[in-house]
Amino acid sequence: MRVLVIGSGAREHALLLALRADPEVQALAVAPGNAGTAAIADQHDVDASSAEDVVALARQLDSDLVVIGPEVPLVLGVADALRAAGIACFGPSRDAAQIEGSKAFAKDVMAAAGVRTASSEIVDSPANLDAALERFGPGAGEPAWVVKDDRLAAGKGVVVTPDRDVARAHAASLLESGHPVLLESFLDGPEVSLFCVVDGETVVPLLAAQDFKRVGDGDAGPNTGGMGAYAPLPWLPPEVYQSIVSDIVEPVAAELVRRGSPFSGLLYAGLAITSTGPAVIEFNCRFGDPETQAVLALLESPLGQLLNAAATGTLSEFGELRWRDGAAVTVVLAAENYPGPPRTGDTIVGSEGAGVLHAGTTRNEDGAIVSSGGRVLSVVGTGPDLAAARSQAYAIIDSIRLPGSHFRTDIGLAAAEGAIHV
Ligand code: AMP
Ligand code: GLY
């Protein structure tokens, strides 16, 4: 099997490593990739959002399977174009990708499927903002306001705050730039990311993971694209995991089939485990970053064959997934000032060892690896338990040098200490 991966993050680096371990994968290419993925796959330049360019590259490489990492090409219909050209693709159609691309569509699908999620309201005029703020947050008996950019915002368009001025300012600045705002009821409880390989009504769940969205230790500071993750979740009861699959993901997959937009690819349920059970925070139409780096580190089943089964309609015959025992932890090394505009162009020392996945990296003219984005690297540690996996991840990150960089020191810590309860 000749596989082409589209994307340039540590998620794609993790996908490539797992694909490379599949004996049926003979050729591996990536576009556009980064300085780390260049070492394990043939690297090509592509505008990932251009269906025409991606199809042309897949043809040129004679790819049997294209795996699309990020949401933007999916929402733009790149998977549709590949399928129309007769090339198998792991990734949903433009219509099915609306589960991530349109919050209104996602809420509508969840309502029809009987799936619990936050109640919400769209505000599209500053004149309605103050009255709407009264219906959410502390005024409505909730600990905080949840104010979201109603467009794709790479996880950074969300402000969750008990401070009315902060909530109002975020909403007002979005409205001023002409973007509708989504206010949501606050969902309390530990978060779970559950990735499922889906083809139509067939759902194959992966290990549950937890992501750390805030930039600082103890969940301080603004939201980011994700600062770290671990898997599996020792505190998540097996029956709750099962109920997420059967009462949330399967009904949503069935509802998408019923609407004539069957989902084929990775359906990512982001949930809060509230005191009254799991509730959906959001669905994504792709693998999550950085959870993928931890989850795939434990996958024993052949990833290429799994993704190909979904892409070719044979997922129901694939059987149960096999996993390594133990735990995996990923910690993100971010550039100075991230999640604000990051400092870039600094030389990175120590980024070529085992367990180091690249994201915002490139090679300069001298061949040195330099930072080129906000989330620069993901390190992955594994071990017999979370504490051991954490030690390994932090030992790796301590051996890397990038001026001004920062990382969280508490990824997976509460779970390792047995301090998370549902
Ligand atoms: P999202 O981009 O929708 O995943 O939101 C980013 C983060 O904001 C989530 O991982 C949660 O930590 C938080 N968040 C989003 N929506 C809610 C909600 N309704 N209640 C509580 N926290 C939320
Ligand atoms: N881990 C968050 C995301 O991928 O959206």
Side-chain angles (χ1 to χ4, degrees):
M1 192 178 0
R2 304 174 60 82
V3 185
L4 166 63
V5 174
I6 301 296
S8 62
R11 164 184 57 203
E12 285 75 20
H13 197 163
L15 286 165
L16 289 164
L17 280 177
L19 286 165
R20 191 174 65 159
D22 182 334
E24 284 199 12
V25 175
Q26 278 104 30
L28 208 46
V30 62
N34 57 48
T37 58
I40 56 168
D42 294 326
Q43 198 134 309
H44 300 268
D45 220 4
V46 83
D47 172 3
S49 301
S50 162
E52 209 176 298
D53 292 6
V54 173
V55 169
L57 178 62
R59 281 214 174 103
Q60 177 201 325
L61 298 173
D62 201 15
S63 304
D64 300 302
L65 174 68
V66 179
V67 178
I68 300 181
E71 62 276 17
V72 171
L74 294 167
V75 169
L76 292 173
V78 174
D80 306 75
L82 286 160
R83 287 190 194 102
I87 301 164
C89 174
F90 184 80
S93 67
R94 180 198 343 232
D95 288 349
Q98 290 303 306
I99 195 80
E100 175 167 1
S102 159
K103 294 190 170 77
F105 177 84
K107 293 282 183 197
D108 199 45
V109 168
M110 284 189 267
V115 165
R116 214 178 131 219
T117 182
S119 60
S120 67
E121 194 175 316
I122 295 209
V123 182
D124 50 18
S125 150
N128 304 332
L129 179 57
D130 285 306
L133 283 170
E134 293 312 313
R135 292 190 283 275
F136 293 88
E142 298 175 359
W145 282 276
V146 179
V147 183
K148 298 191 177 185
D149 186 340
D150 195 35
R151 305 163 298 161
L152 280 182
K156 288 181 275 185
V158 182
V159 166
V160 181
T161 175
D163 184 333
R164 191 177 191 283
D165 293 340
V166 174
R168 193 179 191 290
H170 182 58
S173 85
L174 286 167
L175 288 168
E176 258 163 42
S177 359
H179 303 306
V181 168
L182 193 82
L183 296 183
E184 267 192 12
S185 62
F186 181 84
L187 296 172
D188 212 355
E191 289 182 35
V192 173
S193 299
L194 185 68
F195 300 167
C196 297
V197 178
V198 171
D199 183 36
E201 300 214 20
T202 307
V203 173
V204 176
L206 310 193
L207 293 180
Q210 191 175 49
D211 180 17
F212 291 72
K213 295 269 190 187
R214 301 277 184 153
V215 70
D217 280 0
D219 290 334
N223 271 321
T224 68
M227 292 299 290
Y230 65 95
L233 306 179
W235 49 267
L236 185 69
E239 62 276 14
V240 178
Y241 173 93
Q242 190 47 52
S243 90
I244 297 170
V245 177
S246 12
D247 303 336
I248 294 177
V249 183
E250 287 178 352
V252 162
E255 173 61 20
L256 289 169
V257 170
R258 199 189 64 75
R259 290 179 180 225
S261 352
F263 192 97
S264 175
L266 196 289
L267 187 55
Y268 161 156
L271 311 126
I273 310 301
T274 72
S275 54
T276 51
V280 174
I281 291 178
E282 62 168 356
F283 276 103
N284 293 317
C285 65
R286 43 146 184 106
F287 281 97
D289 189 340
E291 299 97 309
T292 299
Q293 293 87 302
V295 169
L296 292 185
L298 298 173
L299 180 68
E300 216 165 62
S301 300
L303 183 69
Q305 293 167 56
L306 172 65
L307 304 187
N308 194 50
T312 56
T314 58
L315 185 62
S316 59
E317 294 147 40
F318 194 82
E320 286 229 346
L321 299 182
R322 286 174 286 110
W323 298 96
R324 292 187 188 95
D325 290 336
V329 170
T330 178
V331 182
V332 169
L333 186 74
E336 184 174 324
N337 201 45
Y338 177 80
R343 160 174 169 178
T344 58
D346 289 301
T347 302
I348 310 163
V349 177
S351 69
E352 288 172 282
V356 184
L357 303 176
H358 286 224
T361 68
T362 187
R363 276 193 199 270
N364 66 13
E365 301 100 67
D366 307 331
I369 297 178
V370 297
S371 57
S372 61
R375 292 191 292 175
V376 180
L377 302 170
S378 279
V379 304
V380 182
T382 55
D385 58 21
L386 256 180
R390 272 175 47 79
S391 306
Q392 193 182 65
Y394 283 109
I396 298 171
I397 212 162
D398 282 337
S399 71
I400 298 171
R401 292 287 166 266
L402 171 64
S405 62
H406 58 99
F407 60 86
R408 278 184 67 159
T409 67
D410 61 349
I411 305 299
L413 179 60
E417 289 176 338
I420 303 183
H421 306 282
V422 293

